[in-house]
Amino acid sequence: MAKELKELTSREENYSQWYNDLVVKAGLAEGSAVRGCMVIKPYGYAIWEKMQRQLDTMFKETGHENAYFPLFIPKSFFSKEAHHVEGFAKECAVVTHYRLKNDPDGKGVVVDPDAKLEEELIVRPTSETIIWNTYKNWIQSYRDLPILCNQWANVVRWEMRTRLFLRTAEFLWQEGHTAHETREEAIAEAQKMIRVYADFAEQWLAVPVIVGHKSDSERFAGAEDTLTIEALMQDGKALQSGTSHFLGQNFAKAFDVQFTNREGKLDYVWATSWGVSTRLMGALIMAHSDNNGLVLPPKLAPIQVVMIPIYKGAEELAKITARLDEIAAGLKAKGISVKIDARDNVRSGFKFAEYELKGVPVRLAMGPRDLAGDTIEIVRRDTLAKETVSQEGIVDRIEKLLVDIQDGIYNKALKFREEMTTRVDTYDEFKRVLDEKGGFILAHWDGTPETEEQIKAETKATIRCIPVDAPEEDGVCIISGKPSKRRVLFARSY
Amino acid sequence: MAKELKELTSREENYSQWYNDLVVKAGLAEGSAVRGCMVIKPYGYAIWEKMQRQLDTMFKETGHENAYFPLFIPKSFFSKEAHHVEGFAKECAVVTHYRLKNDPDGKGVVVDPDAKLEEELIVRPTSETIIWNTYKNWIQSYRDLPILCNQWANVVRWEMRTRLFLRTAEFLWQEGHTAHETREEAIAEAQKMIRVYADFAEQWLAVPVIVGHKSDSERFAGAEDTLTIEALMQDGKALQSGTSHFLGQNFAKAFDVQFTNREGKLDYVWATSWGVSTRLMGALIMAHSDNNGLVLPPKLAPIQVVMIPIYKGAEELAKITARLDEIAAGLKAKGISVKIDARDNVRSGFKFAEYELKGVPVRLAMGPRDLAGDTIEIVRRDTLAKETVSQEGIVDRIEKLLVDIQDGIYNKALKFREEMTTRVDTYDEFKRVLDEKGGFILAHWDGTPETEEQIKAETKATIRCIPVDAPEEDGVCIISGKPSKRRVLFARSY
């Protein structure tokens, strides 16, 4: 068994360590010399690229265009929206100078005090302010609306406690920023985009999500409403995986963006913003992987099928590889990515463990007996089920298997979430379920921030969302006993 | 004629203003509230995306993988390679603090003096240092080599005089960083990648380029050799459009990256880096466009064909649009991007001018007489040649026309460059050609930095490169009269 794999901490032993080990050992990402900033390694980046490609397609299908706005935001812009500055000022990277000079006292360089900026620049933690300052020049009339822009970018939030992919000082994301004539149109846009995220999470990441509204206290800084998709990880904690905000006219007012409407009157523009980030990599990893390594859904796997020849000597290798090449050609013609690993400096067992660690959905092995008998061994990564089958029709079989694996991973995660979702009616039960089982808890809440805060302080559980499809149901708040019309979703979270 | 177009300065009047007007009015980019940083608008970004997509494909075909490294570089890393720090320290954005706080004296926020970083962070101007500090952990043995990584990223160089796309404080680029066992392999990699850039420039941007080596004084800070592609703009100035550096063992030594080679001995790793940026947008615009606006090569045009119905009333519009839809479907089936512009609030003449400004390669117009006679009007953007042709076979005709336009634009640029390349044998002739004609000048040079510096100081012309395919030829330096074996390429440049 591979050395790397042996060293992988088990989930049961230490979930958090398992996650970190897995990210590093599977070659997805690692820490860097810069506090809280990660290096995304080629294998991890290849998965992110697949996510980007698909999301970008979905954004364009819904009428959005990409653009690019400056990395830096003048400090004064931050103050223009009161909640926004409150939300982001405490954890931002500030550029104060624009030059270094040789250290007069020796080797190295120091900041040149003569090169101080007149106004400090903030490295963007999110781009509403710089973008709305730009939109001001783009919008005069309703004919200039809607504006439907998206940006793929890096952002920086100076988090004190960081974890690879889940919470890093710098991360990669996309941020959509749209401008609309009416409140209704902006609300519809925010709803449309959270559905795009939900579809992407379920159909590509194979992660089922709950769509809902954030409570007032969990809302984005500057939003009137925040929609979220919430996923459940295998340790029973929730992961907020994407958000879509209805920003009302807050940023338009802060940056004085008015337009002449269809009635010829001046009005402020309505806005949304929405984003997902490299945090989705964390969701993907934590939702599906096991003690042998990653389990990647085929739609996002950089390598979908790996083939390993089992051979002694060059002649046998040549024969087996020739047959594997034929199968690989058939798979590639169907758009399936394939790798043949014929390295001779490591044993097959090492290779098996390595591709399990890397989460390759399908592993094929062929030895001399397979060659003689027209058979091939197939192992699917999600269940590790192994079978030896005829080579006849193998391409079609694998194509179907990849679909089965994608579905299987999703269904497993969905089943887990259903088992881990509990309806409780008392606070005692709430606390007991939280401690003994974890997961999602559906409970009645009186809608006040005081109750929400008490629960958070006492249990570390927060309201993940008020699900959009929660049925109306008479009940009473588990804390205050006041009447409630629907259950909200609680969990401890990342 | 469109208002925007009327306001486009002509090239003859003021080339520099023409360029800036064009970038802004065609909706490619604009300035921002942040000094020297630009906003890349959707139409400009769509062209950049097409460039990225093709370059990324070419990088992957040559065995490279994408990864992502931190935005910030610890200040001390800069000092580790002496030339590198010299080259970049004087124009960099420096992060010194990680928090803002409410201004005790009033509204707004100020830098929190208690949140000063122990070591300042530089916003990357290029990533050799942070990447080689990372590679140190990735490389132990020759088996770990080569590493062939590329990164798509933003970088910041605090330029004092900026111009949209050509020279901005923040710009987007890709930077390849490779690590090799041997000097020969690294040199071959640097050569391979400059050829990729040359192919891309010629086949996609339709911009002919000269491939050559930079002189010692124009070399990248930290490189042993810099290869460049040099393009000629319509005003007779050169634009460096991409570079590929053989870095020797400089960064490996600076960051102590050693490996066990095939002989079992420790050696330093050999390196290359190579990059192209949003500057290519400037090359694209300045190489082909005219006083009516952009001229985009079809391979990079976001809209390749625009169709404009000429109609009176809804009934006529419906009939014409139905026919245009059929043609559009045929074009889309061949992968050609099409837009039908049926807006009724602007005149056709306005639309014609608008798509000329935006450089759409092919414009089709259909009126009631065309409908009756099964004809359609075709205008190609590069020559503005207009003809009315039968609708029969129109899809194939347009497909072929797009190829013709791509070739036509390239050939026109190549012819221009040939006319604008002059061989001179005396310094008087050199100065006369430079002032009266501009363009590329091929002249003998004695190889010394002193001569190079004198020419630069007296004429503002620099050695763009020592062309790789320059024939050996006996001559004498135009300044010193010392013997020279080949002509080098001089020009004034951007």
Side-chain angles (χ1 to χ4, degrees):
Chain A
M1 194 177 283
K3 179 164 154 280
E4 288 79 6
L5 188 54
K6 272 195 199 155
E7 291 168 0
L8 186 64
T9 309
S10 76
R11 283 172 297 183
E12 298 71 23
E13 193 183 327
N14 184 336
Y15 189 85
S16 172
Q17 188 65 43
W18 164 80
Y19 172 77
N20 202 68
D21 278 8
L22 184 51
V23 170
V24 173
K25 287 177 199 300
L28 302 177
E30 63 186 33
S32 77
V34 184
R35 206 196 130 282
C37 292
M38 66 180 158
V39 171
I40 306 179
K41 298 182 76 171
Y43 193 62
Y45 201 85
I47 300 171
W48 175 242
E49 277 184 301
K50 289 206 154 204
M51 291 191 190
Q52 283 188 300
R53 188 66 68 102
Q54 176 57 23
L55 282 165
D56 199 68
T57 300
M58 294 169 91
F59 298 157
K60 284 176 178 154
E61 283 169 358
T62 45
H64 301 86
E65 300 178 298
N66 288 327
Y68 188 77
F69 298 88
L71 171 66
F72 299 126
I73 298 177
K75 194 192 65 181
S76 57
F77 282 24
F78 254 53
S79 311
K80 295 199 178 186
E81 215 288 336
H83 295 97
H84 197 69
V85 66
E86 188 66 25
F88 290 105
K90 283 174 193 139
E91 47 176 35
C92 60
V94 189
V95 177
T96 56
H97 292 74
Y98 58 86
R99 192 165 61 221
L100 300 174
K101 63 170 191 174
N102 290 327
D103 185 350
D105 295 336
K107 225 180 146 187
V109 281
V110 293
V111 173
D112 185 343
D114 294 336
K116 192 170 189 302
L117 290 171
E118 276 182 44
E119 180 179 6
E120 295 89 345
L121 296 172
I122 312 306
V123 181
R124 64 181 163 219
T126 180
S127 301
E128 279 77 7
T129 56
I130 188 82
I131 288 179
W132 278 88
N133 185 67
T134 306
Y135 281 178
K136 184 177 167 57
N137 304 319
W138 295 5
I139 301 169
Q140 276 86 43
S141 137
Y142 71 89
R143 286 195 196 86
D144 301 319
L145 298 172
I147 293 174
L148 303 171
C149 275
N150 174 63
Q151 147 169 296
W152 290 96
N154 53 345
V155 285
V156 171
R157 298 177 185 177
W158 210 262
E159 304 278 357
M160 279 302 141
R161 291 187 55 191
T162 60
R163 300 186 70 182
L164 295 170
F165 290 124
L166 295 173
R167 198 175 289 278
T168 47
E170 181 192 15
F171 56 93
L172 303 184
W173 81 344
Q174 59 68 218
E175 47 183 323
H177 293 273
T178 68
H180 305 268
E181 282 183 70
T182 64
R183 162 183 279 270
E184 292 68 33
E185 193 183 299
I187 289 173
E189 166 78 8
Q191 287 171 346
K192 180 197 283 177
M193 298 321 289
I194 203 69
R195 288 292 167 192
V196 165
Y197 290 155
D199 287 351
F200 176 73
E202 300 194 335
Q203 291 167 32
W204 289 74
L205 270 66
V207 173
V209 292
I210 305 281
V211 178
H213 299 271
K214 284 288 179 188
S215 64
D216 292 5
S217 62
E218 298 278 337
R219 193 181 290 153
F220 175 75
E224 289 199 10
D225 185 25
T226 288
L227 288 155
T228 179
I229 52 171
E230 297 285 327
L232 189 65
M233 303 296 100
Q234 291 180 71
D235 62 347
K237 285 167 81 173
L239 185 74
Q240 176 182 308
S241 303
T243 49
S244 179
H245 315 293
F246 168 59
L247 302 172
Q249 295 174 313
N250 292 343
F251 287 92
K253 285 179 180 166
F255 289 89
D256 193 29
V257 189
Q258 297 190 67
F259 73 109
T260 307
N261 68 18
R262 285 171 201 264
E263 286 75 47
K265 290 181 186 156
L266 272 184
D267 194 5
Y268 287 104
V269 179
W270 299 87
T272 82
S273 66
W274 29 274
V276 294
S277 73
T278 35
R279 196 164 216 230
L280 287 177
M281 293 289 294
L284 182 75
I285 297 159
M286 286 207 296
H288 307 310
S289 303
D290 62 26
N291 290 342
N292 294 318
L294 289 177
V295 174
L296 293 178
K299 286 186 182 178
L300 294 176
I303 305 163
Q304 294 173 308
V305 177
V306 65
M307 298 179 169
I308 297 168
I310 316 287
Y311 63 96
K312 285 195 190 104
E315 198 185 335
E316 209 164 85
L317 172 63
K319 281 182 194 166
I320 293 173
T321 305
R323 184 69 193 108
L324 290 179
D325 281 338
E326 285 174 35
I327 298 172
L331 291 169
K332 284 176 191 166
K334 287 182 179 281
I336 296 166
S337 58
V338 187
K339 177 178 175 177
I340 301 178
D341 184 349
R343 279 178 297 171
D344 63 0
N345 62 330
V346 293
R347 286 175 305 110
S348 305
F350 179 93
K351 295 180 188 176
F352 292 170
E354 185 176 352
Y355 295 108
E356 280 176 19
L357 179 62
K358 289 192 166 261
V360 176
V362 174
R363 184 178 86 217
L364 303 177
M366 191 186 288
R369 255 189 301 185
D370 292 309
L371 193 67
D374 275 335
T375 59
I376 192 163
E377 184 185 272
I378 302 187
V379 180
R380 56 188 281 178
R381 174 61 185 91
D382 58 338
T383 61
L384 293 177
K386 186 189 291 190
E387 55 179 341
T388 297
V389 302
S390 165
Q391 289 174 29
E392 204 185 309
I394 187 67
V395 169
D396 290 340
R397 179 189 279 263
I398 290 170
E399 188 181 29
K400 190 179 164 304
L401 179 59
L402 289 170
V403 176
D404 287 350
I405 294 173
Q406 182 83 27
D407 293 347
I409 293 175
Y410 176 79
N411 288 328
K412 187 179 171 194
L414 182 62
K415 185 159 172 281
F416 175 76
R417 189 188 73 186
E418 283 168 356
E419 287 166 4
M420 291 292 282
T421 302
T422 314
R423 296 158 66 93
V424 309
D425 292 315
T426 68
Y427 192 37
D428 279 348
E429 203 184 348
F430 182 97
K431 287 186 280 194
R432 190 175 48 75
V433 170
L434 202 58
D435 287 339
E436 288 175 11
K437 183 180 176 187
F440 283 148
I441 300 183
L442 285 163
H444 281 282
W445 165 58
D446 63 15
T448 69
E450 292 75 22
T451 305
E452 186 181 9
E453 183 52 38
Q454 184 187 337
I455 295 174
K456 184 176 175 181
E458 290 173 359
T459 69
K460 289 185 181 154
T462 50
I463 298 177
R464 301 317 305 155
C465 68
I466 302 150
V468 291
D469 57 0
E472 262 204 33
E473 177 194 294
D474 283 324
V476 295
C477 174
I478 55 169
I479 297 281
S480 66
K482 288 183 189 158
S484 152
K485 280 291 180 197
R486 59 175 51 80
R487 290 173 189 269
V488 301
L489 192 72
F490 287 90
R492 290 189 182 129
S493 76
Y494 280 93
Chain B
M1 196 178 282
K3 181 164 153 279
E4 288 80 6
L5 187 55
K6 271 196 198 152
E7 290 167 1
L8 187 63
T9 309
S10 75
R11 283 174 296 183
E12 297 72 23
E13 193 182 329
N14 184 335
Y15 189 86
S16 173
Q17 188 63 43
W18 163 81
Y19 173 77
N20 202 68
D21 278 7
L22 184 52
V23 170
V24 173
K25 289 176 198 300
L28 301 178
E30 62 186 35
S32 78
V34 184
R35 207 196 130 283
C37 291
M38 65 180 160
V39 172
I40 306 179
K41 298 183 76 173
Y43 193 63
Y45 201 85
I47 300 171
W48 175 242
E49 277 184 301
K50 288 207 153 203
M51 291 190 191
Q52 282 187 300
R53 187 67 68 102
Q54 176 58 23
L55 282 165
D56 199 68
T57 300
M58 292 169 93
F59 298 157
K60 283 174 179 157
E61 283 169 358
T62 45
H64 302 86
E65 299 178 299
N66 288 327
Y68 188 77
F69 298 87
L71 171 66
F72 300 126
I73 298 176
K75 192 191 66 181
S76 58
F77 282 24
F78 254 54
S79 311
K80 295 198 178 185
E81 214 288 336
H83 295 97
H84 197 69
V85 66
E86 187 67 26
F88 291 104
K90 284 174 193 138
E91 48 177 35
C92 59
V94 189
V95 177
T96 56
H97 291 74
Y98 59 85
R99 192 163 63 219
L100 299 174
K101 63 171 190 175
N102 291 327
D103 185 351
D105 295 335
K107 225 180 147 188
V109 282
V110 294
V111 174
D112 185 343
D114 293 338
K116 192 171 190 305
L117 291 170
E118 276 181 45
E119 179 178 8
E120 295 90 345
L121 296 172
I122 312 306
V123 181
R124 63 181 163 218
T126 180
S127 300
E128 278 77 7
T129 55
I130 189 81
I131 288 179
W132 278 87
N133 185 68
T134 305
Y135 282 177
K136 183 176 167 59
N137 304 319
W138 295 5
I139 301 168
Q140 275 87 44
S141 136
Y142 71 88
R143 285 194 196 86
D144 301 319
L145 297 172
I147 293 176
L148 303 172
C149 275
N150 175 62
Q151 148 167 293
W152 290 97
N154 53 345
V155 287
V156 172
R157 297 177 187 179
W158 209 263
E159 303 279 357
M160 279 301 142
R161 291 187 57 189
T162 60
R163 301 187 68 182
L164 295 168
F165 289 124
L166 295 173
R167 195 176 292 276
T168 47
E170 181 192 16
F171 55 92
L172 304 184
W173 80 343
Q174 60 67 220
E175 47 184 321
H177 293 272
T178 69
H180 305 269
E181 283 183 70
T182 63
R183 162 183 279 269
E184 292 68 32
E185 194 183 298
I187 290 173
E189 166 77 9
Q191 286 171 346
K192 180 197 284 179
M193 298 321 289
I194 203 70
R195 289 291 169 192
V196 165
Y197 290 156
D199 287 350
F200 175 74
E202 301 196 334
Q203 291 167 31
W204 289 75
L205 270 67
V207 174
V209 293
I210 305 282
V211 178
H213 300 271
K214 285 287 179 190
S215 63
D216 292 5
S217 61
E218 298 279 336
R219 195 182 287 151
F220 175 76
E224 289 200 10
D225 185 25
T226 289
L227 287 155
T228 179
I229 52 170
E230 297 286 327
L232 189 64
M233 303 295 101
Q234 292 180 73
D235 62 346
K237 285 168 80 174
L239 184 75
Q240 176 181 308
S241 305
T243 49
S244 180
H245 316 292
F246 167 60
L247 302 173
Q249 295 174 313
N250 293 343
F251 288 91
K253 285 179 178 165
F255 289 89
D256 192 28
V257 188
Q258 296 190 69
F259 73 109
T260 308
N261 66 19
R262 285 171 202 265
E263 287 75 47
K265 291 183 184 152
L266 270 184
D267 194 5
Y268 288 103
V269 179
W270 298 87
T272 82
S273 66
W274 29 273
V276 293
S277 73
T278 35
R279 195 164 218 232
L280 287 178
M281 293 289 293
L284 182 74
I285 297 159
M286 286 207 295
H288 307 310
S289 303
D290 61 27
N291 290 342
N292 294 318
L294 289 176
V295 174
L296 294 178
K299 286 184 181 178
L300 294 175
I303 305 164
Q304 293 172 309
V305 177
V306 65
M307 296 178 171
I308 298 167
I310 315 288
Y311 63 96
K312 286 195 189 103
E315 198 185 334
E316 210 165 85
L317 173 63
K319 281 183 193 164
I320 294 172
T321 306
R323 186 67 195 108
L324 291 179
D325 281 339
E326 285 174 36
I327 298 172
L331 291 169
K332 285 177 192 164
K334 286 182 179 281
I336 297 167
S337 58
V338 187
K339 178 177 175 178
I340 300 178
D341 184 349
R343 278 179 298 170
D344 62 1
N345 62 330
V346 293
R347 287 176 302 113
S348 305
F350 179 93
K351 294 180 188 175
F352 292 170
E354 186 176 352
Y355 294 109
E356 279 176 20
L357 179 62
K358 289 193 165 260
V360 176
V362 175
R363 184 177 87 218
L364 303 178
M366 191 187 287
R369 253 188 303 187
D370 292 309
L371 193 67
D374 274 337
T375 59
I376 192 163
E377 185 186 271
I378 303 188
V379 179
R380 56 188 281 180
R381 174 64 185 90
D382 58 339
T383 61
L384 294 177
K386 184 189 293 189
E387 55 178 341
T388 297
V389 302
S390 165
Q391 288 174 30
E392 205 185 308
I394 187 68
V395 169
D396 289 341
R397 179 190 279 263
I398 290 169
E399 189 181 28
K400 188 178 165 304
L401 180 59
L402 289 169
V403 175
D404 286 350
I405 295 172
Q406 182 83 29
D407 292 346
I409 294 175
Y410 176 78
N411 288 328
K412 187 180 170 192
L414 183 60
K415 186 159 169 280
F416 175 77
R417 189 188 74 185
E418 283 169 356
E419 287 167 3
M420 292 291 285
T421 303
T422 314
R423 296 158 65 93
V424 309
D425 292 315
T426 69
Y427 193 36
D428 280 346
E429 203 185 345
F430 182 97
K431 287 187 280 192
R432 189 174 51 73
V433 170
L434 202 59
D435 287 338
E436 289 174 10
K437 183 181 176 186
F440 282 149
I441 300 182
L442 286 164
H444 280 283
W445 165 59
D446 63 14
T448 69
E450 292 74 22
T451 305
E452 186 181 8
E453 184 52 39
Q454 183 187 339
I455 294 173
K456 184 176 176 182
E458 291 173 357
T459 68
K460 289 183 181 154
T462 50
I463 297 175
R464 303 316 305 156
C465 69
I466 302 150
V468 291
D469 56 2
E472 260 202 37
E473 178 195 293
D474 284 323
V476 295
C477 174
I478 55 169
I479 297 281
S480 68
K482 288 182 189 159
S484 151
K485 279 291 179 194
R486 60 174 50 82
R487 290 173 189 269
V488 301
L489 192 72
F490 287 90
R492 291 188 181 131
S493 76
Y494 280 92

